[in-house]
Amino acid sequence: MSTVAKIIVFLLLLIGLIVGGGAYLQHQMTPERVRDYITPLLESSLERKVSLGKIEIGLLSGITVSDLKIKKQHNETDDFVAVQQVNLHYQLWSLVTGHIVVNEVALINPVISVQRFHNGRYNFSDLINNNQSHSSSPYKEKSVAIANDIFSLLVEKVVIQNGSLVFLDAADSKKTPYRYKLSQLNINVRNFTLDEKFPFDLSVQFNDAQLDLSGHYNLALKTGDFVVHLTPLDLIPLSPYYRKQIAGKVGAGKLGLNIEFDVTPERLTSKGKVSLDDLDVAIDATAFRSINLSADYSISYDHSTERMSISTFIFNFAGIETSFDGSVNLASSTPVIDLSMVLKQFDLRQLMNVLPQSLIRDVKKYSLAGTLDGRVDLKGAINQPVELFKSARLSLADVQVSTETLRLGVSGDLSYVNDLLKTDGLSISYGNQVMSLTLDAKKSPGGIFKGSFDLNTDLFDFNEVIGSANVSAQPEEIPLNDSVADIGPFHLPLDMVGTLSARSIKYRNLVLDQVYTDAQIKNNRLRLQNMRLNLGNGRIKAESNLNLSVPGLAYSGDIQVTDMDVAALYQGLYPSSGYEPSGILRLNTTFSGYGTRQDRLLRALNMQGSFLVSDGQLLGFPILDNIANFIGGDDLRRVSFDDFSGQFQVANNTVEQSSQVNGSRMRVGCRGDIDLNGYTNLAIDTRIAPQVARRSGVVADVLSNFSDEQGWGIIPLKISGPFERVKVSPNLTLIEQMVATRAKQELLDKLSNSQQQDATVQDGVKKMLDNTLNKLFGN
């Protein structure tokens, strides 16, 4: 057969098919028959009133139904579903067999009205339970048989174009139900079958947000996969559905989704990203304003075990990321977690900047900063947060915390695994100083860490700790500020032994070398034993106890000083004073007190002890200059001595002392007090060598009236006022006693008449006292 003949035959067959199909349609599928078949079928299946508009049937165009309306149940006025146009497309080749196979259903501009009643049921609830609650009627069975006789139902494609859905929810408010509207609803189902997986796409607009859903689903196996994308959706209109489930109140926020689902009867798996943008939420008195949250995740949920496995969960809070992996068991009323939290460049300062002020009020004063890297393992019931912490491996990069006068920084590695706490290369810094900490401790069943540690540094500068780097000759008065809290208390679950060492310690300009002490911390108390440090050839030994459980860290201890160079010690403490003491010091003292702020530390200090300075001198002190000016002897401005000894007690911001200076030109006995702001109140028994007294302005009278057995002149003085501007005056009380004793003795030696003794002695003593005072000190 030639090609032309084949083409002619094909065209004849096609024309015959069309003519035959058209004849079949005109005979079997008239609009009246379609209406008569479809209307009772739908009404019987849906148990709702159904109406059809104009029906058109075309050989090539298919069946078109206009104005399909399905009324609400028990209501013939309001529409449950209203479709502007329904298009049914059939397979053209099926006309040869005398059947119509519908392979595409399209609903154009459908409007669906969904309603939830006060009792929680929906206006389509009866359709869901239809097969269980209603037996098949003979009329319904007949309608189905007629339809099957006409159609071979193989709908390969279902399309909904430009639909809308109105939802009225009266579950929470019967009188004023919530109203929501979804518009531009488009659905495309392809290759639809009842027993195989078919693809579908859905898009709809809710308020100003766009929701797109696509995937595959198998009705028989109830398995499927979905991709969901939601542009930012305003959460406030949805508040009735979440406000009872959350602890706080949401004032604003937008929800975004870009996620995937895989669903089987046994398991749900999902991955993607969920975001909350511009979120305003108040929880009790804490308010979060305009924050952004997001979670990138990959999870699976086992329905039989009620266990959720998390392979990836990256939580982003205002730009700060924290990730989790592990599992959550939801089988019990209290969820049980087994999670690992991973920190990567976790910025503490950034966290403090974004958290609400009311939430960080108690820690804001510490001005946290620095970054953390590492992993923290959490395991247990979520209602026991303290017990959740199981292990951690952290790397700290310049993590900083501030107190009133101190900025501490910590860097290095810290691990806590199997109840064992260890450090690796951990350093503690403040200012320009760095201390290295090595720690190895095991957590006991009681929660106490027991072990050892070693803390060492090249330089420890107390000036940065107590803020006293700028020092004058004498300390200025420091006002007490009770409104500023001292550091502490600290409650440390530690039972540790270790060592503290430093190449040198600096206080003011004083540098002490080769510092070492054994240490023990237990029951919130730090005990320092065998402490030793050097200043030149001098040695200091000490012991101390520090109570960490009280504000200001109460302390006590004792100090022994041997062979200390007084000149080096004084110049280190008061470098710009201009005074020149010297000698070799020995000191024994005990002390106690509290406070790390200088104003409290000095006022709370209690100390007592004794001292001895040998082979020294005093030069340039205001007290010596004023005594020299008062007596009139320049030799007294420099005092050399063989020994300077005494006892002292510090309490209530005051030093009470009793001391004695023994030198070749002057001997001084001193009693009285000096407060810690430099105010003096001293009684001084000054004794001047004869060769010095002869060169002074009062030599004759001093030597003739006040001298001891060796011929040293005695001048009782009082010293009072600020240390830099002391006032020297005669101690009249002691002078009167000395003059009276001398005069009385001299008169007793001259008088022999005992009856006149008392009156004569009294009168003679008074005259001698007046004459002596006038000669020594003028009128």
Side-chain angles (χ1 to χ4, degrees):
M1 183 182 291
S2 65
T3 302
V4 175
K6 291 180 181 179
I7 293 175
I8 293 173
V9 171
F10 176 77
L11 292 175
L12 290 174
L13 289 174
L14 180 60
I15 294 171
L17 176 62
I18 294 173
V19 172
Y24 177 80
L25 285 175
Q26 289 180 352
H27 181 265
Q28 296 290 336
M29 294 297 293
T30 65
E32 291 74 17
R33 292 194 69 185
V34 171
R35 188 187 308 276
D36 292 341
Y37 290 145
I38 293 180
T39 301
L41 175 62
L42 292 176
E43 289 182 343
S44 176
S45 299
L46 302 176
E47 297 185 358
R48 286 163 171 78
K49 185 68 176 177
V50 177
S51 65
L52 303 177
K54 184 179 179 180
I55 300 176
E56 297 178 354
I57 302 175
L59 177 63
L60 299 178
S61 61
I63 302 172
T64 301
V65 180
S66 302
D67 297 327
L68 168 62
K69 294 183 179 180
I70 303 173
K71 302 298 180 180
K72 293 182 178 179
Q73 190 178 30
H74 310 303
N75 187 334
E76 298 184 2
T77 303
D78 299 332
D79 295 333
F80 171 50
V81 177
V83 185
Q84 181 179 343
Q85 182 176 306
V86 180
N87 296 329
L88 304 175
H89 295 272
Y90 45 75
Q91 295 178 356
L92 183 62
W93 296 106
S94 65
L95 298 178
V96 178
T97 65
H99 291 79
I100 297 178
V101 178
V102 178
N103 64 346
E104 181 176 339
V105 177
L107 281 68
I108 311 301
N109 297 329
V111 178
I112 305 170
S113 178
V114 177
Q115 186 174 0
R116 184 165 69 159
F117 305 108
H118 190 59
N119 60 7
R121 289 180 59 83
Y122 292 86
N123 61 348
F124 56 81
S125 296
D126 60 306
L127 300 178
I128 299 175
N129 301 320
N130 188 273
N131 293 333
Q132 299 178 357
S133 59
H134 298 284
S135 61
S136 299
S137 64
Y139 177 78
K140 181 176 180 179
E141 292 176 357
K142 182 179 180 181
S143 300
V144 173
I146 293 172
N148 288 335
D149 184 55
I150 299 175
F151 299 103
S152 176
L153 295 177
L154 180 61
V155 182
E156 294 184 354
K157 186 175 183 180
V158 178
V159 176
I160 296 177
Q161 293 182 2
N162 196 30
S164 62
L165 185 148
V166 177
F167 178 39
L168 293 176
D169 190 357
D172 292 332
S173 180
K174 184 176 182 180
K175 294 183 179 180
T176 57
Y178 306 116
R179 179 184 177 89
Y180 304 95
K181 184 176 181 179
L182 283 71
S183 60
Q184 300 181 30
L185 174 63
N186 294 281
I187 300 176
N188 189 350
V189 180
R190 302 174 301 281
N191 302 323
F192 177 79
T193 63
L194 296 176
D195 56 357
E196 293 183 5
K197 183 181 292 187
F198 58 87
F200 68 92
D201 298 288
L202 178 151
S203 66
V204 65
Q205 189 169 26
F206 180 30
N207 294 341
D208 294 328
Q210 179 69 33
L211 173 65
D212 295 304
L213 172 65
S214 63
H216 304 81
Y217 196 70
N218 187 315
L219 291 172
L221 300 179
K222 297 181 180 179
T223 62
D225 58 88
F226 312 95
V227 176
V228 182
H229 178 72
L230 174 66
T231 60
L233 170 66
D234 190 354
L235 292 175
I236 300 306
L238 300 177
S239 60
Y241 303 103
Y242 61 73
R243 61 189 176 195
K244 293 182 180 179
Q245 281 70 41
I246 63 176
K249 180 179 180 181
V250 177
K254 293 182 178 180
L255 172 67
L257 301 175
N258 193 1
I259 58 179
E260 299 178 14
F261 286 98
D262 283 300
V263 179
T264 68
E266 299 81 19
R267 183 177 294 272
L268 167 68
T269 61
S270 180
K271 64 180 180 180
K273 182 175 182 177
V274 179
S275 61
L276 286 170
D277 297 327
D278 300 324
L279 181 65
D280 290 350
V281 60
I283 303 174
D284 296 329
T286 301
F288 294 84
R289 301 297 184 193
S290 298
I291 63 172
N292 297 322
L293 307 176
S294 66
D296 292 88
Y297 71 92
S298 177
I299 63 173
S300 64
Y301 178 73
D302 190 308
H303 294 286
S304 60
T305 61
E306 299 185 57
R307 185 182 184 89
M308 180 171 64
S309 299
I310 302 173
S311 57
T312 302
F313 191 94
I314 303 174
F315 180 71
N316 188 304
F317 173 78
I320 305 171
E321 284 191 356
T322 306
S323 62
F324 298 86
D325 60 73
S327 64
V328 181
N329 192 334
L330 302 173
S332 61
S333 57
T334 301
V336 177
I337 66 173
D338 186 356
L339 297 175
S340 292
M341 179 174 64
V342 179
L343 305 175
K344 187 175 182 180
Q345 292 296 305
F346 190 88
D347 194 316
L348 293 175
R349 184 183 295 279
Q350 186 179 356
L351 180 65
M352 292 297 102
N353 289 337
V354 299
L355 287 176
Q357 297 302 305
S358 58
L359 189 64
I360 62 172
R361 184 180 296 112
D362 293 337
V363 298
K364 184 179 179 181
K365 60 184 177 181
Y366 299 116
S367 188
L368 295 176
T371 58
L372 299 175
D373 287 270
R375 188 179 184 93
V376 179
D377 297 320
L378 307 171
K379 186 175 183 179
I382 62 173
N383 61 349
Q384 297 177 329
V386 177
E387 302 298 325
L388 288 176
F389 182 78
K390 299 302 179 184
S391 64
R393 297 175 179 86
L394 297 176
S395 292
L396 291 74
D398 198 24
V399 174
Q400 298 183 31
V401 59
S402 293
T403 63
E404 281 298 319
T405 58
L406 190 64
R407 181 70 172 170
L408 287 176
V410 182
S411 298
D413 295 334
L414 181 69
S415 67
Y416 174 67
V417 181
N418 297 326
D419 293 331
L420 184 63
L421 179 64
K422 284 188 174 183
T423 64
D424 185 9
L426 192 70
S427 62
I428 303 172
S429 63
Y430 58 96
N432 297 319
Q433 303 171 91
V434 179
M435 295 180 290
S436 176
L437 174 63
T438 301
L439 183 146
D440 192 335
K442 181 79 172 180
K443 185 179 179 181
S444 68
I448 304 297
F449 286 90
K450 296 184 177 182
S452 60
F453 70 93
D454 178 68
L455 182 66
N456 66 82
T457 182
D458 186 60
L459 171 66
F460 187 86
D461 192 341
F462 269 109
N463 298 321
E464 293 191 31
V465 176
I466 63 175
S468 58
N470 296 323
V471 181
S472 60
Q474 292 293 333
E476 298 179 358
E477 183 173 356
I478 302 172
L480 182 62
N481 188 354
D482 287 321
S483 64
V484 179
D486 214 328
I487 66 171
F490 299 104
H491 299 286
L492 306 178
L494 301 176
D495 184 357
M496 308 281 290
V497 294
T499 61
L500 305 176
S501 59
R503 184 182 61 83
S504 58
I505 288 180
K506 185 176 182 180
Y507 175 66
R508 299 189 177 183
N509 279 17
L510 189 67
V511 179
L512 303 168
D513 299 319
Q514 301 178 21
V515 181
Y516 176 88
T517 182
D518 295 319
Q520 180 185 38
I521 181 168
K522 184 177 182 180
N523 297 326
N524 293 308
R525 284 172 167 78
L526 174 64
R527 185 176 183 183
L528 304 179
Q529 295 177 292
N530 302 319
M531 182 187 297
R532 53 186 183 271
L533 52 158
N534 301 332
L535 177 63
N537 294 325
R539 303 288 183 268
I540 300 176
K541 295 183 179 180
E543 293 192 359
S544 178
N545 293 282
L546 186 65
N547 187 348
L548 305 174
S549 63
V550 297
L553 314 182
Y555 56 86
S556 62
D558 60 78
I559 301 174
Q560 298 86 42
V561 178
T562 58
D563 301 326
M564 183 67 67
D565 186 336
V566 172
L569 179 64
Y570 196 88
Q571 289 302 316
L573 294 175
Y574 305 107
S576 59
S577 67
Y579 310 150
E580 298 181 22
S582 64
I584 303 300
L585 171 66
R586 295 181 61 186
L587 172 71
N588 289 281
T589 182
T590 60
F591 61 90
S592 63
Y594 65 90
T596 55
R597 290 173 48 84
Q598 190 174 2
D599 55 354
R600 289 185 175 87
L601 186 150
L602 295 177
R603 287 171 172 82
L605 178 64
N606 286 278
M607 182 183 294
Q608 50 276 331
S610 61
F611 65 91
L612 171 64
V613 181
S614 57
D615 298 326
Q617 74 169 6
L618 300 174
L619 174 65
F621 287 89
I623 291 179
L624 295 179
D625 291 340
N626 290 345
I627 291 176
N629 291 335
F630 182 82
I631 296 177
D634 289 338
D635 291 344
L636 302 180
R637 300 182 189 278
R638 178 192 298 268
V639 176
S640 299
F641 54 84
D642 298 324
D643 61 77
F644 175 19
S645 61
Q647 295 80 38
F648 63 91
Q649 180 171 347
V650 180
N652 300 319
N653 202 33
T654 301
V655 181
E656 294 184 1
Q657 62 83 43
S658 173
S659 58
Q660 180 71 37
V661 177
N662 295 315
S664 60
R665 294 184 299 172
M666 178 183 288
R667 298 172 184 171
V668 179
C670 180
R671 291 181 179 272
D673 57 74
I674 305 172
D675 72 21
L676 296 182
N677 290 313
Y679 289 87
T680 61
N681 183 20
L682 302 174
I684 297 182
D685 180 5
T686 307
R687 304 197 177 205
I688 304 173
Q691 64 273 23
V692 176
R694 293 189 187 97
R695 295 193 295 269
S696 68
V698 292
V699 57
D701 295 317
V702 167
L703 294 178
S704 62
N705 291 281
F706 306 107
S707 60
D708 58 14
E709 293 81 0
Q710 289 82 30
W712 287 58
I714 304 174
I715 304 178
L717 300 175
K718 287 179 63 175
I719 297 178
S720 60
F723 185 84
E724 295 288 342
R725 302 181 304 276
V726 292
K727 178 183 178 182
V728 179
S729 60
N731 191 333
L732 296 180
T733 301
L734 292 179
I735 291 175
E736 289 178 358
Q737 292 177 356
M738 294 172 60
V739 171
T741 301
R742 182 179 181 84
K744 184 177 181 179
Q745 185 60 47
E746 289 179 355
L747 290 175
L748 286 175
D749 292 340
K750 294 178 180 180
L751 296 175
S752 59
N753 188 349
S754 61
Q755 295 181 351
Q756 298 179 351
Q757 180 175 324
D758 291 340
T760 304
V761 169
Q762 183 177 1
D763 182 62
V765 168
K766 184 177 183 304
K767 290 180 179 180
M768 183 175 290
L769 178 60
D770 292 339
N771 292 332
T772 303
L773 292 177
N774 287 333
K775 290 179 180 180
L776 287 175
F777 309 112
N779 294 327

